[in-house]
Amino acid sequence: CPKPLVPVAGKPILEHIIERARLDGFHSFVISLHYLGHMIEEHFGDGSQWDVDIHYVREEEMLGTAGALSLLEAIPDGPFIVSNGDVLTDIRYGELLDFHLGHKATGTMAVRQHEWQQPFGVVETDGIKIIGFEEKPVHRSHVNAGIYALSPEALKCLHSMEHCDMPTLFKRLRANDLTTIVYPMHEPWIDVGNPTDLKNAEASTKRSS
């Protein structure tokens, strides 16, 4: 079944996302459907069970996270949140939106610091001369967390029925001299992209319950 309906601690991932956003004051949701999307629609219906309003757009072909936004029937009145359906996090969506508004951005990308330790000692060289050593250095970088805040004008950079991922949309925004920023997040975050990630998500959810 689709990733958003993969259960974590007995609850679909997408349900975790909706409930977390509702706690932050969000009550209107649009879910993009594609492969086996009827399962998602049957599970959530109109959202009344969660005290929210849920509407759907349907991708005839996979359009990417940004491309699916071109299917919205109406342009939102103000900035809105976009989330991948396979991320588990305790991010405060309201704080992300406030950050986006406060910096007058067109596109804000939530990022998380990722650390990776080189398993070997690194030898620094100049030609064949050894000029230094670094024992198992740690590399740090910011990675895309799959959660975004967008202003309505960002949608003008999309074309109907054209595939577009979010990094491509952000490149288009920058090319049009529109402000794009990052929101450094520090809350727990797991991208449930493979069986190992799913097990980590299960363990994390059990610890917090």
Side-chain angles (χ1 to χ4, degrees):
C1 62
K3 283 183 184 178
L5 283 185
V6 172
V8 174
K11 185 182 297 184
I13 296 171
L14 192 53
E15 192 171 325
H16 282 277
I17 295 173
I18 290 174
E19 290 182 345
R20 187 69 190 81
R22 182 175 58 82
L23 290 174
D24 257 6
F26 292 83
H27 294 281
S28 181
F29 297 82
V30 178
I31 300 176
S32 178
L33 305 176
H34 183 54
Y35 177 65
L36 296 182
H38 65 280
M39 296 175 61
I40 295 175
E41 189 168 5
E42 289 172 0
H43 181 83
F44 290 101
D46 62 3
S48 56
Q49 181 179 342
W50 292 268
D51 195 27
V52 300
D53 294 321
I54 297 179
H55 300 276
Y56 302 91
V57 295
R58 293 167 177 79
E59 302 176 54
E60 297 300 325
E61 298 179 0
M62 293 186 67
L63 298 177
T65 303
L69 298 175
S70 70
L71 301 178
L72 292 174
E73 293 183 359
I75 302 297
D77 295 330
F80 55 96
I81 299 293
V82 179
S83 175
N84 290 351
D86 56 358
V87 292
L88 279 175
T89 177
D90 290 336
I91 190 173
R92 298 299 299 269
Y93 296 102
E95 292 180 3
L96 168 58
L97 200 58
D98 289 342
F99 186 86
H100 174 83
L101 289 166
H103 288 81
K104 299 180 180 179
T106 304
T108 300
M109 178 184 295
V111 297
R112 182 71 188 274
Q113 182 169 280
H114 176 72
E115 295 185 354
W116 177 78
Q117 184 170 26
Q118 166 66 256
F120 307 103
V122 174
V123 182
E124 300 176 23
T125 63
D126 180 6
I128 62 173
K129 293 183 179 179
I130 296 175
I131 59 174
F133 297 94
E134 190 172 5
E135 184 62 26
K136 299 181 179 179
V138 175
H139 303 279
R140 296 178 175 86
S141 60
H142 283 112
V143 298
N144 180 0
I147 306 166
Y148 316 86
L150 296 177
S151 294
E153 60 186 315
L155 300 180
K156 296 178 182 179
C157 292
L158 298 173
H159 306 290
S160 180
M161 304 304 295
E162 176 191 64
H163 183 278
C164 182
D165 55 29
M166 291 301 284
T168 298
L169 174 59
F170 272 70
K171 289 178 183 177
R172 292 179 182 176
L173 297 178
R174 292 176 56 200
N176 283 277
D177 294 322
L178 297 171
T179 302
T180 57
I181 61 174
V182 297
Y183 174 77
M185 59 174 292
H186 307 284
E187 297 88 351
W189 171 85
I190 300 175
D191 181 354
V192 187
N194 57 55
T196 299
D197 295 330
L198 184 59
K199 288 181 180 179
N200 290 338
E202 282 278 11
S204 176
T205 304
K206 289 177 182 177
R207 286 195 298 269
S208 61
S209 61

